[in-house]
């Protein structure tokens, strides 16, 4: 049977991925059904329903303006309808919606379905770390892979060359997702270490906050390079200390050092952290001003990582992660971003 694809989520990154997936299913008609259904959280945009505009104009004017979608991509506002009988699920939505979405769709997807998570985040509690691929797998009872990389959505949508990494335990799933995502401008490499792929995607945001603090202080390229290197080492140490299966080679993939460089050079975490230093305004105020109220992943992850490490009395072993937390949440001097980590 041919695979039926459903993209779960339709923000900036979800829209860019929907474009790629819709193009690729047409390249492999022997593997995929031609129609790709994309679940779009319904909202009004300039007096019309967003799904109506997307299906008529072949564009998402709110989250990815100016980018044309293939005609086989259909925006669906009802989650059950979008996911009904789907055999390949692409999760690309804010992590706080994962559990509710899975509960709604679990009785309606194909019995042999598989999924892939493009969610860059972790759920870190004092007693455990939850990967969202594993949470989706538990909720739906299916195999779940992960995709992460140096992938700024607007650049991907404009077909500017980049790489990404897919982590998949099952080789057949990895080959299938390679067909679904790989293009001449979006180069996919498949590895087995899905845990490392997801850890990199979450922890690099903490390092980006540190890079933004350095930029706000005007410390220059040398200092930022040092923070990136120290951050990469702590990412590696965290993964190998608490997840014994994480491979060194994963940190040299797009999901590792490349995504870290991109996020520390641009990205919202770096941007807001720089503004935090320059304006001394609280993070929640800056989120409203600079991100239209969207929440930063880096500051939240820094808090969760600190609580996790504190429960094990290991904060001193991760000085950069700990310093970022203390600057943001405990009013530590911003200059400690270099004083406390070397």
């Amino acid at each position: 049977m041919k695979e039926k694809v459903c993209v779960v989520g339709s923000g900036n990154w979800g829209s860019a991925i929907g474009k790629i997936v819709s193009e690729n299913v047409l390249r492999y008609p022997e593997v995929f059904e031609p129609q790709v259904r994309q679940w779009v959280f319904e909202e009004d945009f300039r007096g019309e329903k967003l799904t109506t505009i997307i299906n008529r104009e072949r564009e998402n004017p709110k989250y990815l303006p100016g980018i044309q979608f293939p005609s086989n991509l259909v925006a669906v506002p009802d989650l059950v309808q979008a996911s009904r009988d789907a055999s390949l699920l692409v999760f690309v939505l804010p992590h706080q919606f994962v559990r509710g979405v899975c509960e709604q769709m679990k009785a309606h997807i194909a019995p042999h379905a598989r999924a892939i998570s493009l969610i860059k985040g972790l759920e870190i509690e004092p007693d455990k770390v939850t990967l969202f691929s594993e949470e989706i797998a538990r909720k739906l009872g299916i195999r779940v892979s992960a995709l992460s990389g140096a992938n700024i959505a607007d650049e991907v949508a404009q077909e500017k060359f980049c790489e990404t990494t897919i982590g998949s335990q099952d080789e057949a799933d990895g080959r299938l997702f390679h067909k679904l995502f790989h293009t001449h401008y979006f180069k996919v490499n498949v590895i087995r270490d899905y845990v490392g792929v997801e850890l990199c995607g979450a922890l690099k945001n903490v390092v980006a906050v540190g890079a933004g603090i350095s930029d706000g202080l005007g410390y220059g390229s040398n200092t930022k390079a040092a923070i990136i290197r120290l951050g990469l080492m702590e990412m590696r140490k965290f993964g190998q200390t608490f997840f014994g299966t994480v491979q060194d080679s994963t940190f040299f993939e797009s999901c590792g050092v490349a995504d870290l460089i991109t996020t520390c050079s641009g990205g919202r975490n770096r941007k807001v952290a720089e503004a935090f230093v320059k304006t001394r305004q609280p993070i929640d105020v800056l989120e409203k001003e600079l991100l239209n109220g969207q929440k930063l992943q880096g500051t939240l992850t820094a808090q969760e990582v600190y609580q996790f490490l504190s429960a094990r009395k290991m904060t001193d072993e991760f000085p950069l992660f700990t310093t970022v937390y203390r600057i943001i949440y405990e009013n530590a001097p911003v200059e400690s971003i270099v004083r406390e980590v070397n």
Side-chain angles (χ1 to χ4, degrees), residues 1-215:
M1 294 179 62
K2 295 182 181 181
E3 305 287 352
K4 294 181 180 179
V5 180
C6 172
V7 179
V8 186
S10 59
N12 184 238
W13 185 216
S15 296
I17 284 297
K19 173 180 179 290
I20 287 176
V21 166
S22 300
E23 292 169 344
N24 276 356
V25 297
L26 300 179
R27 292 175 58 199
Y28 300 99
E30 72 284 0
V31 179
F32 304 106
E33 294 283 355
Q35 186 184 84
V36 172
R37 287 170 288 179
Q38 182 161 37
W39 175 59
V40 176
F41 181 77
E42 191 67 280
E43 53 188 312
D44 288 332
F45 184 78
R46 296 175 183 168
E48 282 190 276
K49 293 188 181 301
L50 184 58
T51 53
T52 300
I53 299 172
I54 292 172
N55 289 328
R56 183 184 67 233
E57 305 293 339
R58 314 309 313 155
E59 176 186 347
N60 188 329
K62 181 168 185 178
Y63 295 109
L64 199 65
I67 300 298
Q68 288 291 296
F69 297 153
S71 60
N72 61 319
L73 179 66
V74 179
V76 182
D78 183 87
L79 177 61
V80 171
Q81 182 184 346
S83 61
R84 191 180 305 279
D85 299 324
S87 59
L88 289 181
L89 301 163
V90 180
F91 282 85
V92 54
L93 76 169
H95 67 81
Q96 61 265 34
F97 300 117
V98 166
R99 290 184 177 89
V101 161
C102 288
E103 284 294 330
Q104 289 185 61
M105 68 166 55
K106 67 181 180 181
H108 305 283
I109 62 176
H112 59 285
R114 286 146 292 174
I116 187 165
S117 171
L118 279 65
I119 301 165
K120 287 189 176 181
L122 302 168
E123 185 174 78
I124 305 175
E125 299 172 282
D127 62 333
K128 64 178 180 178
V129 177
T130 301
L131 304 176
F132 283 105
S133 67
E134 294 179 342
E135 185 67 12
I136 294 167
R138 278 193 293 270
K139 289 287 186 182
L140 298 181
I142 61 177
R143 293 195 303 271
V144 183
S145 302
L147 181 150
S148 186
N151 307 140
I152 295 173
D154 290 346
E155 295 183 13
V156 173
Q158 293 166 27
E159 302 189 3
K160 296 179 179 179
F161 177 79
C162 67
E163 299 176 307
T164 199
T165 312
I166 288 177
S168 180
Q169 288 180 297
D170 186 274
E171 287 187 22
D173 290 354
R175 290 193 297 269
L176 186 63
F177 285 125
H178 187 276
K179 284 187 171 71
L180 191 63
F181 291 101
H182 180 80
T183 72
H184 67 279
Y185 63 88
F186 192 65
K187 182 182 177 183
V188 173
N189 189 37
V190 181
I191 63 176
R192 300 293 289 273
D193 183 12
Y194 75 97
V195 175
V197 170
E198 288 189 80
L199 281 173
C200 286
L203 295 176
K204 53 93 178 179
N205 289 324
V206 181
V207 185
V209 173
I213 292 169
S214 175
D215 284 346

